[in-house]
Amino acid sequence: MTFNRRIFLGSAAVTAGLLAAPMVRAQGKPRVVVVGGGAGGATAARYIAKDSQGAIDVTLVEPTRTYYTCFFSNLYLGGFRDMQSLGHSYGTLAAEYGINVVHDWAVGVDRDAKTVTLAGGSSLPYDRLILSPGIDFVDGAVEGWDLSSQNAMPHAYKGGSQTELLNAQIIAMPQGGTYAMVAPPNPYRCPPGPYERISMVAHTLKEVNPTAKILIADPKEKFSKQGLFEEGWNDHYAGMIERVGPDFGGADVVVDPAAMTLSIDGDVNNVDVCNVIPAMKAGRIAEIAGITEGSWAPVNAVDMSSKMDENIHVLGDAAAQGDMPKSGFSANSQAKVCANAVRGALTGSTVFPARFANTCWSLIDTEDGVKVGATYEATEEKIAKVDGFVSQTGESDELRAATYQESVGWYDGIVADMFG
Amino acid sequence: MWRLFLIALLGAAGTSQAEVGGDAENGQTLFRQCSGCHEVGQGARDRIGPHLNNIFDRPAGAADGYRYSAGLQRAADGGLVWTYETLDDFIENPRRLVSNTRMSFHGFEAQQERDDLLAYLRQFSASPGNIPEAAPTAAAVDHAVAPEVLAIIGDPAYGEYLSGECTSCHQASGATDGIPSIINWPAGDFVVVMHAYKEGVRAHPVMQMMAGRLSNEEIAALAAYFESIE
């Protein structure tokens, strides 16, 4: 046995030497490559590795060594979490689940050869590819803004350094200054996210800069949990927040990062912080793989497979799947359906029917939490909503505090489900 | 200081409730908050939590056959014994005394409430022979599930798949902070609770929604899976 194995390894090395590009080879097992180590990708990798018990070779490609969750990053801006508590290592996925964690960028997909090319030059062969790349921003979505201005006008819509930058700018605002947000058009990651952020920024400003103002330019008529947020803003931050909707030019926005101005419908506002959250699209690798249509990657609800390539699955924010909001919870839920289907396809294990769920908690002020959620099923056409609920206005303080506590428990739960 | 005094009293005299400063009758009312998981009295059995007969002076983690959380086991290995004082600390905030206990209970803040509850529990602890001839404290929840539904044998493999919907919030390790642990519950209790959510008897919008679309077989499958995991 040992002898045979040595022979095999030896000949494999010779073969590899003959190839033009270095290949990362598995040992005859079916291979799954997962691109993106967030709520979709980390969960999918973990479930496939865990449930296949070594029968499937799983590689996870994720550039960052410490993953800072975007969910709960608003709580950092409100002073309710420190950044360290939002950071997670991939060590357990590698050590306890045997996942090959590769810290690199996926820069190419050859769908005929079924390989993924990495920025470092390696090439990873796959039997199934799972893309969970999150979001990127649409070029030119906000006039005057591009990625080179993200230091002057942060988006802070991917967790980590951008969030820390935005926080530093908020703290450094002059007394009575203005924090402005350019809110994104639908569809985008985390529908209540911009408005929870407004709440958390207001909470911080109320403490350190109580005469400061918050200005929102919003291209949308309505937004997620609107009644709940507006009630909360009235109760906790009266007179601080002004939102300009599309009727008053909220969609007609120009920014000047050098002059720190935000023009709404031609009206120029001098601002001290400008949080530009541009229109979004699927993470770039989905577009490179050629499986997007418009901004997103259409998928079959039953197993999250791409409508353009049956060997590629797309999870989370990047997918156009139907009724689910783009959220970490949704991505985590879709990942488990996908993992079950991929395992079934590659090893013949039982494939159970797809079922999805989502719940999003938002914090409005200290101990004032609200939530919205729904269940979903797979239809021929899309992921379709089955049932749902949303917190009510006028709920008791006790219930709101319990909802917040629950969200803290959920955070611990989902990161345990993602990272082991 | 006065707490020590109480313990001295407990040890010295024959423990009538007046002497421990608690009102056992009110304690019995307060125990309703515990009886979702714990039984006490004649015939009390381990349910979601261990039975509480003879809890006083019992070493922690010692109810025969009950599967304790790793957190409680660790505390037990460290020599924790349930005395008036440790029980008082524990029910004030379970996770402060025993980190990672599966007991998801916010605790009794008021000293008087804790005294009352302990006075009640004390009645079931003097010695086995001293347990009053009272009926055990009810089933886990006051919600009836048809016997044929309770009798369904769940498929743990299907339950494992379905559990993915639970573990987005409820940790598979049994850790509990803000969201209760659901592992290692007796399957029957699990089934009763899920049906209570499904039918809206228990009030929690997320759980009502999640349970609402689970079939009887799926609930049984989940119960079988969560009972079995280590």
Side-chain angles (χ1 to χ4, degrees):
Chain A
M1 188 67 191
T2 311
F3 180 72
N4 284 340
R5 189 171 160 76
R6 272 197 197 139
I7 296 286
F8 172 73
L9 286 176
S11 55
V14 171
T15 314
L18 297 173
L19 295 171
M23 298 283 276
V24 184
R25 281 222 171 269
Q27 297 136 16
K29 292 187 219 168
R31 294 159 301 197
V32 171
V33 173
V34 182
V35 173
T43 306
R46 178 169 165 268
Y47 271 74
I48 292 170
K50 169 171 81 73
D51 295 338
S52 72
Q53 299 178 332
I56 296 177
D57 190 82
V58 183
T59 299
L60 176 62
V61 181
E62 162 61 43
T64 65
R65 281 161 175 77
T66 301
Y67 183 85
Y68 290 95
T69 59
C70 201
F71 47 91
F72 265 39
S73 64
N74 286 330
L75 271 62
Y76 161 77
L77 296 175
F80 294 94
R81 298 288 285 228
D82 59 30
M83 188 49 78
Q84 207 184 346
S85 76
L86 305 181
H88 305 277
S89 144
Y90 293 93
T92 306
L93 293 184
E96 286 184 24
Y97 294 89
I99 295 167
N100 177 22
V101 180
V102 178
H103 293 300
D104 203 342
W105 285 94
V107 293
V109 176
D110 183 333
R111 281 162 49 188
D112 295 327
K114 296 211 276 185
T115 57
V116 176
T117 314
L118 304 181
S122 303
S123 173
L124 297 167
Y126 65 81
D127 295 298
R128 289 293 174 110
L129 173 62
I130 298 175
L131 297 180
S132 189
I135 50 125
D136 274 313
F137 300 111
V138 174
D139 285 341
V142 174
E143 195 179 336
W145 191 92
D146 61 30
L147 266 196
S148 68
S149 6
Q150 71 167 8
N151 233 35
M153 294 188 169
H155 54 79
Y157 229 65
K158 299 180 182 187
S161 52
Q162 274 276 305
T163 321
E164 290 180 287
L165 172 65
L166 181 63
N167 187 57
Q169 292 182 351
I170 292 164
I171 299 299
M173 273 170 62
Q175 290 296 309
T178 300
Y179 164 98
M181 171 188 282
V182 177
N186 289 322
Y188 61 94
R189 158 181 287 183
C190 189
Y195 310 97
E196 182 191 54
R197 174 172 296 175
I198 292 296
S199 309
M200 291 295 94
V201 171
H203 173 85
T204 294
L205 289 175
K206 194 175 166 183
E207 283 180 7
V208 303
N209 193 345
T211 54
K213 297 286 179 206
I214 294 177
L215 174 65
I216 313 163
D218 200 333
K220 303 183 295 296
E221 293 276 358
K222 296 182 297 179
F223 60 87
S224 171
K225 300 179 186 157
Q226 183 161 2
L228 296 166
F229 281 116
E230 288 178 347
E231 175 196 51
W233 294 347
N234 257 329
D235 288 352
H236 302 295
Y237 316 115
M240 192 183 241
I241 301 166
E242 183 193 356
R243 174 173 170 267
V244 181
D247 292 352
F248 297 92
D252 179 11
V253 163
V254 182
V255 296
D256 183 340
M260 281 308 285
T261 59
L262 162 64
S263 304
I264 305 175
D265 202 18
D267 227 10
V268 180
N269 300 274
N270 291 303
V271 298
D272 300 290
V273 175
C274 194
N275 178 196
V276 176
I277 310 175
M280 297 171 202
K281 61 178 184 179
R284 174 97 173 107
I285 190 67
E287 198 177 327
I288 290 170
I291 55 164
T292 53
E293 191 180 277
S295 293
W296 311 100
V299 295
N300 299 302
V302 68
D303 60 357
M304 302 304 292
S305 61
S306 163
K307 289 198 169 167
M308 303 180 194
D309 188 329
E310 60 180 8
N311 296 312
I312 301 182
H313 301 251
V314 187
L315 302 176
D317 297 348
Q321 32 71 16
D323 295 348
M324 292 185 88
K326 297 185 186 299
S327 73
F329 197 123
S330 293
N332 170 264
S333 171
Q334 293 160 10
K336 291 175 223 180
V337 169
C338 173
N340 185 251
V342 164
R343 199 159 58 86
L346 296 180
T347 68
S349 64
T350 311
V351 178
F352 295 108
R355 50 197 301 136
F356 307 91
N358 176 62
T359 302
C360 288
W361 288 264
S362 302
L363 187 60
I364 296 175
D365 197 352
T366 309
E367 301 259 287
D368 189 0
V370 293
K371 60 188 171 185
V372 60
T375 50
Y376 304 85
E377 64 187 2
T379 66
E380 278 290 302
E381 179 205 354
K382 63 173 184 175
I383 297 183
K385 183 173 167 178
V386 176
D387 187 17
F389 72 89
V390 61
S391 294
Q392 302 297 305
T393 52
E395 287 174 342
S396 70
D397 293 351
E398 201 183 7
L399 180 55
R400 291 294 178 88
T403 301
Y404 169 62
Q405 286 308 323
E406 189 178 280
S407 73
V408 173
W410 163 74
Y411 185 90
D412 293 343
I414 192 172
V415 297
D417 209 32
M418 291 163 62
F419 300 107
Chain B
M1 193 60 202
W2 64 274
R3 208 186 259 174
L4 283 177
F5 174 63
L6 288 177
I7 291 164
L9 265 181
L10 255 176
T15 69
S16 76
Q17 40 185 274
E19 282 165 331
V20 298
D23 172 0
E25 209 168 302
N26 189 46
Q28 183 168 12
T29 308
L30 292 169
F31 188 74
R32 288 185 197 150
Q33 296 180 49
C34 318
S35 62
C37 298
H38 293 283
E39 291 185 358
V40 69
Q42 196 176 47
R45 295 169 300 153
D46 294 339
R47 303 296 300 255
I48 293 164
H51 77 82
L52 299 176
N53 290 341
N54 292 308
I55 187 71
F56 282 79
D57 296 330
R58 182 165 99 191
D64 270 351
Y66 181 77
R67 282 191 287 176
Y68 287 92
S69 62
L72 202 120
Q73 199 54 59
R74 193 164 54 239
D77 294 345
L80 177 65
V81 172
W82 294 124
T83 62
Y84 195 95
E85 194 170 35
T86 56
L87 283 168
D88 183 61
D89 274 357
F90 191 61
I91 62 175
E92 183 179 4
N93 182 347
R95 285 191 285 273
R96 194 183 57 206
L97 183 69
V98 181
S99 53
N100 300 321
T101 174
R102 277 202 307 274
M103 178 157 143
S104 32
F105 181 62
H106 51 77
F108 289 106
E109 242 177 84
Q111 181 70 55
Q112 188 61 51
E113 291 188 338
R114 301 199 297 277
D115 286 341
D116 293 351
L117 183 72
L118 291 177
Y120 173 67
L121 290 179
R122 184 68 188 78
Q123 300 176 342
F124 303 97
S125 257
S127 69
N130 204 17
I131 295 171
E133 295 282 321
T137 49
V141 281
D142 49 359
H143 176 67
V145 174
E148 62 270 26
V149 173
L150 271 175
I152 297 170
I153 307 289
D155 168 10
Y158 187 31
E160 181 172 14
Y161 169 69
L162 293 170
S163 76
E165 289 213 323
C166 314
T167 54
S168 297
C169 298
H170 298 275
Q171 297 188 48
S173 67
T176 168
D177 189 12
I179 294 204
S181 165
I182 53 172
I183 69 166
N184 298 155
W185 287 24
D189 289 343
F190 194 100
V191 170
V192 165
V193 166
M194 290 302 282
H195 281 280
Y197 282 120
K198 184 174 175 168
E199 280 144 47
V201 177
R202 279 195 169 208
H204 191 281
V206 179
M207 284 309 304
Q208 288 179 355
M209 179 182 80
M210 301 307 289
R213 67 163 166 175
L214 292 169
S215 69
N216 295 342
E217 286 70 25
E218 287 168 339
I219 288 175
L222 281 166
Y225 171 68
F226 279 114
E227 184 179 43
S228 71
I229 60 175
E230 290 305 317

